[in-house]
């Protein structure tokens, strides 16, 4: 029988996940279906329950339900617990397993696909919201020399340092405190670009040969990537690889088979112009 999976969010019509998982299933010969489910804002738990009771095996969860997804789990992973958010659920009898693959997707994209090693490097994450929370544990696990978080509201960045104290020694602050610092990898995890706003990044922030990575995908050259380009950075990446790599992690978790990602990333990539 065909196993059923889905992505749940609101809105959900622009999700690339059905296309990605269909490509993985075809490439690996797995018999599964994967649909997109639009859940009412006040009905996430009921939407999950209905899908589960009708035989669904697992779901991906996207905005705005990642926090609720983690709270719903009987067995959240450490990554999900620390992020307070899950992007994948697996159903097994009475149990709901939860994990958060966004961070490992990001790390795999940076190191494997883009070829920028993180060990011993100076890494900066911009923003202190959910996207940053999901990324910190996997980034820290690579052993960067410095892992810094800068945020418009410095207090929110400092709160992250406290929450992650047992797992990562974070350097945290506001944008003004970045003056005089430089980083080998700078990751934009803010939503500033979505409203076409730029971040107050000081001169010299990007070290020679730095990678500028925007978690946003499919928008071409975002305001952050344009800033980086104007600062002389030539290694620019958007979040399409992170999207496909987190999907691959969920696929392995559910199916026990690892799909290749290169062709799918290529098919979804939008030129950065
Ligand atoms: P997500 O779950 O996508 O991370 P979020 O939790 O709402 O979304 O976090 C959005 C992030 O973008 C926050 O770090 C926010 O900064 P504040 O905590 O100071 O609000 C950041 N952000 C959004 N708009 C911004 C802007 N115009 N300039 C700088 N940072 C911005």
């Amino acid at each position: 029988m065909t196993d059923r999976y889905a992505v749940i969010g609101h809105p959900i019509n622009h999700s690339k996940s059905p296309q990605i998982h269909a490509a993985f299933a075809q490439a690996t010969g797995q018999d599964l279906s994967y649909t997109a489910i639009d859940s009412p804002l006040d009905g996430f738990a009921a939407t999950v329950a209905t899908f589960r009771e009708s035989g669904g095996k697992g779901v991906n969860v996207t905005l705005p339900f990642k926090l609720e997804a983690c709270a719903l789990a009987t067995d959240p992973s450490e990554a999900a617990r620390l992020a307070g958010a899950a992007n994948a659920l697996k159903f097994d009898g009475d149990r709901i397993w939860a994990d958060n693959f966004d961070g490992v997707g990001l790390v795999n994209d940076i190191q494997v696909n883009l070829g920028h090693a993180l060990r011993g490097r100076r890494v900066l994450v911009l923003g202190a919201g959910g996207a940053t929370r999901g990324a910190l544990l996997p980034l820290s696990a690579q052993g960067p020399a410095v892992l810094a978080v800068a945020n418009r509201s410095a207090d929110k960045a400092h709160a992250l340092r406290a929450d992650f104290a047992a797992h990562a020694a974070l350097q945290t602050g506001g944008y003004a405190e970045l003056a005089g610092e430089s980083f080998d990898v700078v990751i934009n995890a803010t939503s500033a670009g979505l409203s076409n706003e730029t971040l107050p990044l000081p001169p010299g922030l990007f070290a020679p040969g730095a990678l500028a990575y925007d978690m946003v995908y499919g928008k071409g050259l975002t305001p952050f990537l344009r800033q980086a380009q104007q600062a002389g950075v030539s290694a620019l990446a958007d979040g399409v690889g992170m999207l496909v790599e987190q999907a691959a992690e969920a696929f392995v978790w559910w199916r026990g088979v690892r799909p290749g990602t290169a062709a799918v990333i290529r098919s979804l990539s939008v030129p950065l112009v």
Side-chain angles (χ1 to χ4, degrees):
M1 206 176 79
T2 303
D3 289 337
R4 292 172 54 226
Y5 298 86
V7 57
I8 302 178
H10 181 82
I12 200 66
N13 48 334
H14 293 303
S15 173
K16 306 277 186 221
S17 293
Q19 190 184 334
I20 295 170
H21 283 279
F24 287 167
Q26 194 181 23
T28 57
Q30 292 284 302
D31 184 13
L32 63 86
S33 73
Y34 189 109
T35 53
I37 300 176
D38 197 337
S39 168
L41 281 177
D42 60 356
F44 175 72
T47 302
V48 170
T50 303
F51 187 70
R52 231 178 121 194
E53 282 154 19
S54 70
K57 298 275 187 198
V59 292
N60 281 127
V61 180
T62 186
L63 298 178
F65 300 123
K66 291 184 183 185
L67 304 182
E68 272 186 81
C70 187
L72 203 64
T74 57
D75 298 81
S77 71
E78 187 176 50
R81 270 190 293 110
L82 265 173
N87 83 333
L89 300 177
K90 181 160 65 174
F91 309 130
D92 179 16
D94 288 344
R95 314 206 76 94
I96 300 180
W97 300 82
D99 215 322
N100 188 326
F101 297 121
D102 287 333
V104 67
L106 172 71
V107 163
N108 287 348
D109 193 36
I110 290 175
Q111 297 202 125
V112 181
N113 300 335
L114 300 168
H116 286 253
L118 293 165
R119 175 164 301 281
R121 309 316 296 273
R122 294 174 56 82
V123 177
L124 170 65
V125 184
L126 304 170
T132 297
R133 276 188 176 271
L136 289 177
L137 199 59
L139 285 173
S140 159
Q142 306 312 309
V146 172
L147 181 54
V149 176
N151 196 46
R152 178 171 57 181
S153 125
D155 283 352
K156 215 160 134 187
H158 295 323
L160 279 184
R161 186 173 63 203
D163 288 353
F164 282 79
H167 303 271
L170 299 179
Q171 186 180 305
T172 55
Y175 289 105
E177 285 147 83
L178 294 173
E181 303 248 24
S182 74
F183 294 88
D184 303 302
V185 176
V186 182
I187 299 159
N188 177 32
T190 75
S191 49
L194 299 178
S195 43
N196 219 21
E197 291 177 67
T198 51
L199 301 168
L201 305 180
L205 184 71
F206 298 94
L211 169 69
Y213 193 104
D214 201 325
M215 285 193 187
V216 166
Y217 62 87
K219 305 248 183 242
L221 204 61
T222 61
F224 166 72
L225 293 177
R226 188 168 296 117
Q227 268 178 295
Q229 190 181 53
Q230 283 164 0
V233 177
S234 59
L236 306 171
D238 74 0
V240 66
M242 173 179 175
L243 173 76
V244 176
E245 292 298 338
Q246 67 73 30
E249 295 299 318
F251 195 91
V252 180
W253 191 54
W254 289 327
R255 309 300 301 178
V257 182
R258 180 168 290 278
T261 52
V264 183
I265 292 173
R266 248 191 333 271
S267 75
L268 292 176
S269 289
V270 168
L272 298 180
V273 288

